[in-house]
Every structure is written in structure tokens, then in C-alpha cells.
Amino acid sequence: MRGTKERRHFVDRAADRLWAGEGRLDLPDVINFRDLMPFWNDYRAEILDHLSNPNYTPAHIELVEHPKNYIATRPLARLSVQDRLIYETLAFEAAESIDPLLSESVYNHRIERQTKHSVEDWKAMREKARTILARNKNLLMATTDIASFYEHIATDALALDLEAAGVDSVLAAQIYSFLDGFEQQCHTWGLPQGSAASGILANAYLLPVDNYIQQRNIKFVRYSDDMYFFDTSEENLRSTLQHVNRAFRARRLNMSSPKTKIFTRDEASKYLDDSHKDMIMYFLTLRKPWAIRDLRNLFQAAVNQSPPNERDIKFALTPLGVRSDDFAFSWAMDNIKGWHHLSPRILRYLESLYAKRKDLQTLLEGLLERVPTADYPFLERNIFETAIRCDIRSDVLRARAWLAVRDRSRSSYPREFAARYIGRLGTSNDGQLLKMEYEGESNIDVCRALLIAMHEADYMPRGLLTRLCDHPTMLRWTARYLLRKPEKIPVPKF
């Protein structure tokens, strides 16, 4: 077990992820944790103190239903800052033992790449797959992944796996205590979704499967539970998939039938081929006029496919937005509800079209009035975030924001952004009303957002902040931050 000095390194690494990456993740913070940054040295000492507790369990967890498509969702675990830092610190420590045991075929959550955004590692895995196919023209490819992977990881078995991987027994017990507390508090199971820590621990859980595949002497690459296998024989690939499925079941996991396929050589190349998109991006950087045409054609082909090609749609929206190209404007305006799982990307594309800002306001107002937002909390939060970032003042948005803030029966996440909208873009009378809501609010995250909103509405009783400076929750750091009278509080980053 490492000492405090060594452990501090892992705590700082977890904090670096908090500062640098949070705004680009699925669960951005309402002010990018700016209220915690000035006091990090003091807060780090508290985190280290909690880490000395071998039986630590999470203090607060909110499950956020994150849409995967129009209907399905996955439960992202929104940990408190304290719990997130502790969980990631424990996992980063364990990674020192897990990582050397991983095959070079594993691409996710490796030590040397932990500060990168995960999509880069996924791209690297696919690039490796293309290289394998290019080296042998006779290869076929099979793909599979695991159904509801994180939710089906058995934490008691994981604790044994960690010790088998050489993780210190006390550290393994701490991780188990955290995960056991997570399961009991959330009425869910497995690993919290949405944290890099879970990806690290999931690698340990799949070590026996990786070793089993290597014993079969077959080429493979893996990113989390996303696996590609390569062989010249279709029969060998079919046999491999059957044996891997048995290895999954031994780990209490199930292969996802819809995503388990064997591709011919041409099908595999087409499945992996990003060369056309790579070429578009290359010529866009060179400002070649035909690159814009090719980008538009790619987007049009993607939306016209049946079903539409989601990967290509997501790819095209970003460079179109960078160039303020309104080619996808009509599609974005017409499809945001049906594609609400892509609403951050769609809205950020629309944000880039400065000449269409009035249309964007009309869209946001219409969505909040037409869509039953209680059933679309992800979309509602993104609407308020966009309105904040674009400084869109609207009586309709303000009225809907107040409805969200006052509805304590719904998810706290959109309520926080609604409060921030009111404080930043409301009227001169909103400060007193925000304080009334604060006094009746029990959710700490919403209280924090209301404090920020009161400050931005220029209605912040100094005595309230002074009393909160010793509060046992995150509010003490928010109060100390606001007592410094920051002139500009950041909005969530892209």
C-alpha cells in the first residue's frame, strides 16, 4: 500500500481530469468546477484523509438516464466531486498493477494514455484493425461486444481479480467497499458508468478473457468490450466467437447478438474504412474548395441512408460547424427531438451559425413548449446550456427555467442549468426569488447552482456565504469562491 506522498500523485491525476475534461464529457459541470480549483491544496488534504478509510463508501450518487437512441438509455452515475476523485484515485493506483498484464491488443484506459479523450483510443484500435487486414489480404474479421457490460460485472469476483493481478489487498478491499456502497445506494449493480475508473477496473475483469483469446493464437484488438478478431477461416472465427462467449459466461457476461458478426474481407474493409473522412479532413485543412462539397455529400448520404449513418452524421456536424456552414441547418432544426441523444452535437453545430441565432432561439423555445421535458431531461439540460452559452434572453426560456427549478420531483441535473440560466439571463427581480428557492431546496447540487445564480443575478447576501464557509458539503468551496467576487464565472466548455 502506497504512502500519502505517493497517493497524492494519483489524486492530482484525478483532479487534472476534472479540470481538463469535464466540459467535454456527457456530464458537464454547471461551472466547470471553477469554485474548487482555487482551494485544491486544502481539498486534496480532505480527499487524502478519506482515502485512509479502508471502508469508504460513496456519499452521494445520482443516476442520470443518458439516451443511447430515441428510446433506449444507459444509467450514467453522477458521483459527487469527492466520490469521483476517490474512485478515480483508487483505480489509477490499481492500474499500476493491471496495465503491465494487458495485451498490446487492448487500447482503452492504458496508463500512458489516461489523459486523452477516449475517442482517440477507440480510433487507434480501429487503425490497428485496418493495419492487420492490410498485412494479409486473406483475412476475415469478426466483431462482438458485451450486452450491458458494466452493469454485469460482478464486484465480488472483481475484487479477487484485482488481487490476482497484483493489486495490494487493502487497495482491492477499498475498491470493493466503494463499489458495494455504490450498488446498495443506487439500487443498481456493477461498475458506475461514466467514469474512467470503471474502464480501468473493467480491463482487470476481462484479463482472463484476453488470456483465453491469446491461447487460441488468434489476432484480436479490444477497446473495452468492443472486440475484433481476425483469421483466414470463417469456421475458425465462428469457433472463436463460440469459445469467447463461453469465456464471457464464466465471467457472468453475455455476448451481444446484434453486434456479433463475421465480415467478408470487403465488408470488413468497408466497416473500418475511414479513409474518405480522413481525406476530407486533410483537404479541409488545406482549404481546398472541393473538400466542403465532399463533406456536404457525406452528410447528405448519411441522413439519406436507412437507417441513417449516425457515425457519419456526428463526424460531419463538427467540421460544418467550425466553418459556420449552414448546409445541415434544416436537418438539425427538424430532427433534434428524434435525435435527442445527439442534442449536444446538434446544438453546438447550430450555435456556430451566428446568422441563424434568432432561429436557434425559436427552436429552443419551441422545444421547451412542445416536448414533455420531464421525459427528456438530457435534452432539457442541453437546451439551457446552449441558451447560457449563446446569451439568449427569452421570456419563454425564463418561464420554463422557473418551472424546472421549482419542480423538485424531477432530475436535479437540468434544474441546475435552469437555475444558472435564470441567474445569468433573467430579470432584475429574479435574485430574491432565487434565494427563496435556495431556502427550500434540499439537493446540494441544485443549492450550489442556485448560489451561483444568485451571484450572477447580483443578489447575494454576504452573511449567507460566510455561514456556508464551514458547511460539510461542496457548498463551502462555492461560498468561499463567491466571497472572492469573481467577475466572470465560466460556462461549460465544448
Side-chain angles (χ1 to χ4, degrees):
M1 191 71 177
R2 292 178 172 85
T4 300
K5 185 175 180 180
E6 291 177 290
R7 183 162 258 184
R8 182 180 300 168
H9 164 71
F10 297 108
V11 177
D12 285 340
R13 185 189 296 175
D16 287 342
R17 288 181 57 84
L18 199 70
W19 317 141
E22 180 69 14
R24 296 191 299 275
L25 300 179
D26 294 324
L27 299 174
D29 182 65
V30 73
I31 61 169
N32 297 322
F33 298 111
R34 186 57 59 88
D35 50 346
L36 190 56
M37 293 176 69
F39 312 104
W40 173 240
N41 287 336
D42 292 334
Y43 193 48
R44 183 207 288 125
E46 291 189 12
I47 297 299
L48 289 169
D49 185 56
H50 286 301
L51 283 164
S52 66
N53 177 6
N55 301 311
Y56 183 87
T57 56
H60 171 71
I61 298 170
E62 177 186 4
L63 287 183
V64 177
E65 293 296 335
H66 190 278
K68 297 171 64 175
N69 53 40
Y70 180 65
I71 299 173
T73 64
R74 61 188 178 103
L76 294 187
R78 190 178 178 216
L79 305 175
S80 70
V81 179
Q82 173 179 303
D83 292 337
R84 172 177 167 170
L85 290 171
I86 288 172
Y87 184 41
E88 293 199 354
T89 298
L90 295 173
F92 288 156
E93 249 188 277
E96 299 288 306
S97 299
I98 298 167
D99 198 79
L101 302 179
L102 295 174
S103 162
E104 292 183 358
S105 300
V106 178
Y107 281 78
N108 65 297
H109 299 97
R110 303 305 297 262
I111 286 177
E112 70 275 11
R113 296 193 294 263
Q114 281 177 355
T115 58
K116 290 185 178 181
H117 196 279
S118 58
V119 71
E120 297 302 324
D121 295 335
W122 183 80
K123 289 179 179 178
M125 183 265 286
R126 288 175 62 86
E127 179 61 34
K128 180 62 176 179
R130 289 196 291 269
T131 300
I132 291 171
L133 285 175
R135 288 175 179 170
N136 186 338
K137 302 298 183 182
N138 297 315
L139 286 177
L140 309 175
M141 184 179 83
T143 65
T144 192
D145 72 4
I146 300 167
S148 302
F149 177 37
Y150 281 10
E151 295 174 69
H152 287 95
I153 289 178
T155 54
D156 53 349
L158 174 63
L160 295 175
D161 294 337
L162 293 174
E163 290 199 51
V167 175
D168 180 271
S169 60
V170 176
L171 175 57
Q174 280 187 290
I175 292 171
Y176 176 76
S177 177
F178 187 98
L179 295 174
D180 186 55
F182 164 74
E183 290 186 332
Q184 292 188 33
Q185 186 177 147
C186 281
H187 306 292
T188 186
W189 54 91
L191 301 182
Q193 296 191 51
S195 169
S198 293
I200 293 168
L201 300 179
N203 275 342
Y205 198 73
L206 286 182
L207 266 173
V209 177
D210 292 340
N211 292 335
Y212 181 77
I213 296 169
Q214 288 175 295
Q215 289 174 7
R216 291 185 62 81
N217 197 30
I218 190 168
K219 291 183 181 298
F220 80 104
V221 291
R222 174 170 75 77
Y223 178 91
S224 189
D225 62 322
D226 194 7
M227 300 181 179
Y228 303 163
F229 306 94
F230 306 89
D231 199 278
T232 57
S233 165
E234 180 178 349
E235 193 61 41
N236 284 348
L237 286 175
R238 179 178 179 277
S239 176
T240 295
L241 290 171
Q242 290 180 329
H243 282 84
V244 169
N245 197 26
R246 284 197 284 271
F248 284 163
R249 286 201 293 268
R251 302 262 76 195
R252 307 184 203 178
L253 304 170
N254 291 294
M255 187 176 282
S256 173
S257 298
K259 295 184 179 180
T260 302
K261 301 176 182 178
I262 296 177
F263 291 102
T264 66
R265 167 78 191 187
D266 289 343
E267 290 171 338
S269 297
K270 185 176 180 180
Y271 178 78
L272 294 170
D273 187 17
D274 286 325
S275 61
H276 181 49
K277 287 181 280 192
D278 292 341
M279 192 66 69
I280 289 174
M281 292 305 297
Y282 173 71
F283 284 119
L284 282 173
T285 61
L286 297 180
R287 301 178 182 274
K288 299 298 183 182
W290 62 81
I292 291 291
R293 179 202 63 206
D294 289 350
L295 179 63
R296 292 176 174 181
N297 289 341
L298 177 75
F299 177 82
Q300 194 63 52
V303 299
N304 287 339
Q305 286 183 34
S306 183
N309 187 323
E310 185 171 314
R311 278 190 61 217
D312 284 356
I313 290 173
K314 290 193 293 185
F315 166 82
L317 284 176
T318 298
L320 285 172
V322 168
R323 287 153 184 82
S324 297
D325 187 323
D326 65 1
F327 182 79
F329 172 75
S330 296
W331 179 89
M333 294 285 287
D334 294 340
N335 288 277
I336 189 168
K337 179 177 178 288
W339 289 74
H340 65 106
H341 59 296
L342 296 187
S343 55
R345 196 170 301 239
I346 294 173
L347 286 170
R348 287 170 187 179
Y349 165 70
L350 291 172
E351 288 175 35
S352 71
L353 306 178
Y354 302 103
K356 304 283 190 180
R357 190 55 54 84
K358 190 62 180 177
D359 296 290
L360 175 58
Q361 177 176 333
T362 301
L363 173 66
L364 301 184
E365 292 173 345
L367 287 169
L368 288 178
E369 290 185 313
R370 295 191 312 270
V371 176
T373 49
D375 297 327
Y376 292 80
F378 182 67
L379 176 60
E380 183 181 36
R381 193 270 296 171
N382 292 327
I383 289 171
F384 287 125
E385 182 183 342
T386 287
I388 292 167
R389 196 159 37 233
C390 295
D391 288 323
I392 297 175
R393 295 181 183 274
S394 160
D395 291 339
V396 173
L397 296 183
R398 176 176 170 270
R400 291 291 169 173
W402 273 119
L403 287 175
V405 166
R406 288 169 173 154
D407 186 356
R408 295 186 174 90
S409 66
R410 65 201 300 177
S411 170
S412 68
Y413 205 26
R415 295 177 63 220
E416 294 167 48
F417 282 80
R420 183 85 198 272
Y421 177 83
I422 294 168
R424 191 178 179 94
L425 296 164
T427 69
S428 58
N429 298 322
D430 284 327
Q432 297 95 321
L433 298 177
L434 288 165
K435 186 173 185 295
M436 287 174 56
E437 294 303 318
Y438 173 84
E439 290 168 347
E441 183 59 54
S442 59
N443 184 283
I444 293 299
D445 293 322
V446 178
C447 283
R448 174 172 169 257
L450 286 167
L451 286 176
I452 298 296
M454 289 159 61
H455 171 85
E456 292 188 308
D458 200 23
Y459 188 84
M460 177 55 72
R462 187 175 181 85
L464 172 61
L465 295 180
T466 302
R467 290 191 298 274
L468 285 172
C469 284
D470 294 321
H471 200 272
T473 70
M474 179 74 177
L475 295 184
R476 69 185 177 280
W477 306 111
T478 307
R480 295 178 190 184
Y481 170 67
L482 294 176
L483 281 170
R484 295 184 169 197
K485 298 183 179 180
E487 292 184 6
K488 187 175 182 180
I489 299 177
V491 297
K493 297 179 289 187
F494 276 46

